[in-house]
Amino acid sequence: MRVVLMAGGSGTRLRPLTCDLPKPMVPVVNRPIAEHILNLLRRHSLDDVVMTLHYLPDVVRDYFGDGNEFGVHLSYVVEEEQPLGTAGSVKNIANLLTDPFLVVSGDSITDVDLTEALRFHRQHGAPVTLILARVPQPKEFGIVFTDSDGRVRRFLEKPSAGEVFTDTVNTGIYILSPTVMDYLNSGIERDFSRDLFPLLLQADVPMYGYITDAYWCDVGSLQTYQQVQQDALYGRVHLEIQGHEIQPQIWVGHNTTLPQTVQLQAPLVLGNNCRFGAGVTLGAGTILGDNVIVGNGSRLRSVVAWSGCFIGDDSELEHCILARHVHVDRHVTLHEGVIIGSRCVVGEEASLSQGVRLWPGKRIEAGAIVNESLIWGTTGQRYLFGQRGVAGVANVDITPEFAVRLAAAYASILEPGTSVLVSRDQRNVSRMVSHALMSGLMSVGIHVLNLEAIALPIARFAAQTLAVSGGIHVRAHPDRADQLLIEFFDHKGINLSKAKERQIETAYFREDIRRALLTDVGVMTHPNNCVAAYAQGFEKWLNTQLFYGSPAKIVIDYAYAVSGVVLPQILSKFGCDAVVLNATLHPTPLNILERQRLLRELGQVVTALSASLGVQVSANGERLTLVDNAGQVFSDQELTALMAYLTLLTHPGGTVVVPVTTSSAVEAIARQQGGQIIRSRTNPTDLMEACQHHNGVVLGGSAETGFIFPQLHPGFDAMFTIATLIELLALIGKPLTVMRQELPRVHYYHRPIRCPWIAKGSLMRHLVETHPRNHLSLIDGVKIGEPNTDHWVLILPDASEPLVHLYVNSPDATWSEQMLQRYSRRIEEFARLEPLSDATIKM
């Protein structure tokens, strides 16, 4: 049976706790209300759940994901424009409800026997069964009168004192037949209690009430929220409480330490990673979330403190609630009924009188006596991670303060005592930011392996050989000279998955950051053999005899952005003559025109020295631009095709992974050489993972991203690409000018086109709906191609700009030019914007 869980509530009556949190996400004994509902559903084998969302939907989706972690299958429907009410939101998804279904409100706590309720429903065979409960104060609820057979005879929502004709109330849990939704019109706000059920009564549609004697509480106010916490602690409702029960009714979470001088009075719940000073008293009814710190001598009784709270020395708190990341300084007194919203700061020796409420973000000065509530408005949100890592302008977006907090958020998702390597390019600003990152890591109890200034490929290689949980690299953004880029990768050297990035963002924005005690602060070390280990791995995967047999002369241009001068040293061991240009200890950012000027100069040096090739290295050792022996620059598509050709020529039957944007020249080469091409999403992380997950991969990536050689390490590596080029050219015995002529000819165009953010999704849907399914590939963007041909068009939304990218590919020049014009016009008309000028790139 499908379950509709209505989780769209904003919890107005729970302010200030729900200013930035949907009501179903409010924690009860350290788990969101909605999680307790899912646990109840799972216990009764109800695992197909649709959540209807409205207020802050991303908070719910980010926490629950697809539901696998909670033992259910979850899907979501978001009411974008306006709330449709309890019945209207279900009517909105009527197409998903073809069989009898269960509706559950997302803001109540219960342990009702759903299996028995379903048996009751099937026994009576009626289209509607309401689960009812008897309460001492029914005036706040919809009251329901049933006859001796259980059939509903009268229904009244929120009665006045004189209208209460029973203590039996509606719990907001219903078992419904899809046919009853026909009584409602779509797109109109409607409520079950106020609208649908009176209509059904009037139409004499049979409705029955299953009256449960199980626990049920509508968490509709701050008073009931406090009450349900105590009911859970004292076992009045069956909920799954996290942590190890070290004593009867005392639960303690993972990595929480309790000094011998701490006094514990059952019942109480302590979350993960909590820390307590000497002489702390934790009284009965106290519930502390994750990463809570309580200072020496403080006394808490019946206190509910959410994750990340700090309570200073010798403070006294009684029967109060602290939302996320509240900072209470020392010698503070919080009296009964105090409610403090998230991120509030209460200064030293302040006192908050009974019933005072602070809305989020308030600051109380030291010594203040607060007798009245302080109201607060709204808050903002943003994402940290872009297409690759965290990018921004140094000392504007990426400040030392930001870097400390970002690293601490990352470290908080790692196990305490593990290690992370940190590396950077040679810019002073990168040194500044990397030091801040290391401070943030160490503050959370993570050890730091400081590689200092080093090329990114060497750092990725080191992650495989050192016992680390992951790594961070700071460098100038490879595509934005005015920005810094902070990249995170795992213990294999692969960029973090989107799921891990979301975990870091959640920890950052919610400040779910644990802090290490003085004795647990991380240690910094400086590994000194990383370059030597990389050089050994480098040499292992090269046929060095080819270098000795056919010594080459190459010219390497570092373009004033040092990427690690290890390459000339390695090549010289094999008898290769490497001439280095524009290397410096003080890197200088270059714009496109300056880089093109250096490329022209590189071509002139190559021809003057009669060198075999020239390369311009960029992106801190990840990318390269190739110049042939005649001084001519290879385009990105030509270089990708060349690398695929050379690699498959020497590895027959091998597999090459390329992004979907790569021209069809690689497929033509694979057909000639008996190899295989796998297309991946353009995101660098997806390319890295694809190279690891498929068997027989000998090459990955493209000139735009850099090339991956999985046998060495999972990242992009311009240095190994250069050495491989020299090796393969020596093996084949042909100069680059000849190799260029042997590449398949493809007419390939790329054009960026302006498109508003709000139009991107509808544009993609429009393209899918207006083309035959057998002509579509949806790996990344919308690729439209004639089956079994190399004629295709790709429309790919830009990840960070209000643009879509149009790619056209065909061996036929006329076809490519026609499709370029046709789809350019189509996209521009759809977006109702003018095209970008001078933005077409041709292979």
Side-chain angles (χ1 to χ4, degrees):
M1 174 177 285
R2 175 159 283 179
V3 180
V4 179
L5 176 53
M6 293 180 290
S10 60
T12 303
R13 294 177 63 196
L14 283 176
R15 299 289 177 89
L17 300 179
T18 56
C19 290
D20 56 356
L21 193 69
K23 185 177 177 182
M25 296 303 295
V26 169
V28 171
V29 287
N30 291 342
R31 292 188 183 209
I33 294 173
E35 184 175 346
H36 289 299
I37 296 172
L38 291 180
N39 289 338
L40 173 67
L41 295 173
R42 188 192 68 247
R43 290 199 297 269
H44 292 277
S45 301
L46 298 166
D47 57 3
D48 183 8
V49 183
V50 179
M51 275 195 185
T52 61
L53 308 176
H54 176 68
Y55 182 67
L56 300 177
D58 288 342
V59 175
V60 181
R61 287 187 294 205
D62 289 348
Y63 185 88
F64 290 107
D66 60 8
N68 286 338
E69 184 180 342
F70 304 90
V72 299
H73 172 72
L74 270 179
S75 55
Y76 303 91
V77 177
V78 180
E79 299 170 18
E80 299 284 359
E81 300 297 332
Q82 62 181 17
L84 296 173
T86 55
S89 63
V90 176
K91 174 66 175 180
N92 191 42
I93 58 171
N95 61 311
L96 303 177
L97 307 170
T98 56
D99 298 307
F101 58 95
L102 177 69
V103 174
V104 182
S105 170
D107 54 13
S108 60
I109 291 291
T110 182
D111 54 10
V112 62
D113 188 342
L114 294 174
T115 301
E116 183 61 20
L118 291 170
R119 187 199 62 75
F120 176 93
H121 175 75
R122 287 189 288 267
Q123 176 184 339
H124 288 81
V128 177
T129 295
L130 290 76
I131 296 180
L132 310 175
R134 292 192 170 100
V135 298
Q137 299 291 337
K139 192 171 64 172
E140 296 296 319
F141 308 101
I143 58 176
V144 183
F145 179 79
T146 60
D147 62 19
S148 58
D149 293 328
R151 183 162 178 175
V152 175
R153 295 301 182 184
R154 191 175 176 191
F155 196 100
L156 185 61
E157 180 68 9
K158 300 291 192 298
S160 65
E163 294 174 319
V164 175
F165 52 80
T166 180
D167 65 349
T168 305
V169 302
N170 172 22
T171 66
I173 306 174
Y174 319 116
I175 307 166
L176 304 174
S177 168
T179 56
V180 301
M181 304 311 297
D182 295 339
Y183 285 81
L184 298 176
N185 295 322
S186 299
I188 300 175
E189 183 178 355
R190 288 291 183 264
D191 185 81
F192 279 115
S193 302
R194 189 176 59 249
D195 301 306
L196 179 60
F197 294 152
L199 278 175
L200 297 178
L201 278 176
Q202 187 178 0
D204 202 30
V205 175
M207 293 191 295
Y208 281 80
Y210 170 77
I211 302 175
T212 179
D213 58 359
Y215 182 93
W216 173 81
C217 179
D218 174 23
V219 189
S221 67
L222 292 167
Q223 291 73 28
T224 55
Y225 176 65
Q226 289 175 307
Q227 184 60 50
V228 77
Q229 300 270 15
Q230 300 305 307
D231 290 343
L233 279 179
Y234 284 94
R236 301 183 189 113
V237 57
H238 172 54
L239 299 181
E240 298 177 22
I241 298 179
Q242 292 176 312
H244 178 60
E245 194 171 6
I246 61 170
Q247 298 176 25
Q249 294 187 302
I250 295 180
W251 292 268
V252 177
H254 173 69
N255 199 38
T256 287
T257 57
L258 291 168
Q260 292 183 348
T261 56
V262 171
Q263 298 182 39
L264 306 178
Q265 300 172 1
L268 59 86
V269 174
L270 309 179
N272 301 321
N273 304 306
C274 292
R275 296 291 182 269
F276 303 94
V280 167
T281 298
L282 301 177
T286 294
I287 301 171
L288 305 183
D290 297 342
N291 307 310
V292 172
I293 297 175
V294 181
N296 298 324
S298 288
R299 296 168 297 282
L300 284 65
R301 186 162 69 90
S302 290
V303 172
V304 176
W306 296 4
S307 296
C309 288
F310 174 87
I311 299 166
D313 296 347
D314 298 310
S315 290
E316 187 151 349
L317 289 70
E318 182 175 357
H319 290 284
C320 55
I321 301 174
L322 281 61
R324 295 175 300 181
H325 309 297
V326 169
H327 183 105
V328 175
D329 217 326
R330 61 180 182 170
H331 302 291
V332 167
T333 301
L334 303 182
H335 292 278
E336 183 174 339
V338 167
I339 312 292
I340 302 182
S342 59
R343 301 178 306 283
C344 285
V345 177
V346 181
E348 183 175 349
E349 298 185 356
S351 175
L352 273 63
S353 300
Q354 182 175 349
V356 164
R357 299 176 185 179
L358 302 184
W359 258 241
K362 288 300 179 185
R363 178 177 291 271
I364 305 301
E365 294 181 357
I369 299 175
V370 181
N371 297 314
E372 296 181 352
S373 297
L374 302 178
I375 310 300
W376 178 83
T378 59
T379 185
Q381 289 182 306
R382 62 182 283 248
Y383 294 102
L384 293 176
F385 286 85
Q387 181 77 350
R388 56 186 307 169
V390 178
V393 178
N395 272 338
V396 176
D397 302 312
I398 298 181
T399 63
E401 299 90 338
F402 168 82
V404 168
R405 186 175 163 194
L406 174 65
Y410 168 53
S412 294
I413 73 170
L414 304 175
E415 285 295 318
T418 55
S419 298
V420 169
L421 66 83
V422 178
S423 57
R424 57 178 173 84
D425 65 18
Q426 287 192 326
R427 288 173 171 81
N428 286 332
V429 67
S430 300
R431 177 186 289 110
M432 174 191 76
V433 171
S434 68
H435 285 186
L437 290 167
M438 289 185 284
S439 296
L441 292 169
M442 295 167 66
S443 74
V444 184
I446 298 299
H447 304 308
V448 172
L449 279 62
N450 184 4
L451 304 190
E452 298 185 339
I454 203 167
L456 181 50
I458 301 177
R460 292 191 193 276
F461 182 88
Q464 300 179 121
T465 58
L466 301 172
V468 297
S469 296
I472 309 177
H473 187 83
V474 186
R475 57 170 166 156
H477 197 294
D479 302 317
R480 294 286 302 272
D482 61 330
Q483 291 193 351
L484 275 181
L485 177 64
I486 304 174
E487 289 180 275
F488 295 79
F489 46 89
D490 64 15
H491 65 285
K492 296 180 180 178
I494 301 175
N495 285 5
L496 294 186
S497 66
K498 291 300 177 186
K500 287 292 184 183
E501 290 178 352
R502 284 195 295 271
Q503 287 184 30
I504 297 172
E505 288 177 336
T506 298
Y508 178 90
F509 288 121
R510 295 184 180 178
E511 297 185 7
D512 288 338
I513 296 170
R514 65 174 186 264
R515 293 296 183 190
L517 297 177
L518 179 65
T519 55
D520 297 329
V521 169
V523 175
M524 182 189 296
T525 57
H526 295 78
N528 55 15
N529 61 347
C530 294
V531 174
Y534 174 79
Q536 290 175 5
F538 201 102
E539 185 174 350
K540 176 182 176 181
W541 294 105
L542 288 176
N543 185 347
T544 56
Q545 296 303 316
L546 289 173
F547 286 80
Y548 292 118
S550 179
K553 176 180 286 187
I554 68 169
V555 183
I556 304 174
D557 176 18
Y558 283 109
Y560 302 110
V562 174
S563 302
V565 293
V566 62
L567 179 61
Q569 299 172 10
I570 296 174
L571 295 180
S572 64
K573 289 178 58 178
F574 311 144
C576 183
D577 184 10
V579 177
V580 176
L581 305 178
N582 303 320
T584 178
L585 294 176
H586 304 286
T588 304
L590 301 177
N591 58 36
I592 293 176
L593 293 177
E594 291 169 332
R595 190 172 292 277
Q596 290 175 343
R597 175 181 59 80
L598 292 181
L599 273 175
R600 290 193 297 270
E601 294 175 359
L602 173 61
Q604 294 167 0
V605 174
V606 168
T607 55
L609 297 179
S610 300
S612 303
L613 58 92
V615 289
Q616 186 181 85
V617 180
S618 59
N620 200 215
E622 285 194 324
R623 302 182 194 169
L624 73 139
T625 303
L626 179 64
V627 173
D628 66 17
N629 51 297
Q632 298 301 307
V633 178
F634 273 71
S635 71
D636 286 345
Q637 294 301 317
E638 286 177 327
L639 177 54
T640 304
L642 174 69
M643 290 303 300
Y645 178 55
L646 293 173
T647 305
L648 291 177
L649 193 63
T650 53
H651 297 81
T655 297
V656 174
V657 176
V658 296
V660 293
T661 53
T662 302
S663 81
S664 64
V666 292
E667 275 89 4
I669 291 166
R671 288 192 292 267
Q672 294 172 3
Q673 306 300 331
Q676 180 186 5
I677 300 297
I678 293 176
R679 295 272 179 168
S680 163
R681 291 166 59 90
T682 55
N683 187 289
T685 303
D686 291 302
L687 279 166
M688 294 182 200
E689 291 179 344
C691 290
Q692 295 293 310
H693 294 161
H694 291 92
N695 294 325
V697 176
V698 293
L699 179 71
S702 66
E704 292 93 334
T705 60
F707 295 100
I708 298 170
F709 299 86
Q711 70 273 25
L712 182 63
H713 64 82
F716 309 101
D717 194 329
M719 295 179 287
F720 196 75
T721 304
I722 295 166
T724 302
L725 268 170
I726 298 170
E727 175 192 24
L728 297 179
L729 289 173
L731 178 64
I732 296 169
K734 296 179 182 178
L736 280 175
T737 49
V738 174
M739 298 295 298
R740 186 201 293 266
Q741 298 303 315
E742 295 178 357
L743 296 177
R745 307 309 301 168
V746 177
H747 298 275
Y748 175 94
Y749 298 92
H750 166 218
R751 175 177 290 173
I753 301 174
R754 297 189 190 278
C755 182
W757 287 102
I758 59 173
K760 289 183 180 181
S762 54
L763 171 63
M764 297 296 106
R765 176 171 52 82
H766 168 74
L767 293 168
V768 170
E769 291 174 348
T770 54
H771 290 86
R773 287 192 175 273
N774 64 337
H775 284 212
L776 296 175
S777 172
L778 305 179
I779 296 172
D780 202 6
V782 176
K783 193 173 187 178
I784 305 155
E786 300 177 14
N788 303 317
T789 72
D790 289 333
H791 307 284
W792 51 258
V793 174
L794 172 65
I795 299 92
L796 182 66
D798 192 281
S800 57
E801 299 290 339
L803 304 170
V804 295
H805 296 272
L806 172 62
Y807 300 88
V808 179
N809 176 97
S810 175
D812 184 339
T814 302
W815 190 94
S816 288
E817 291 169 1
Q818 289 176 346
M819 292 301 106
L820 179 68
Q821 299 306 318
R822 178 185 302 177
Y823 280 91
S824 293
R825 287 194 300 270
R826 189 168 181 174
I827 295 169
E828 289 157 9
E829 290 171 0
F830 191 93
R832 292 184 173 87
L833 289 173
E834 294 296 324
L836 293 176
S837 59
D838 302 325
T840 301
I841 306 164
K842 183 176 179 181
M843 179 178 177

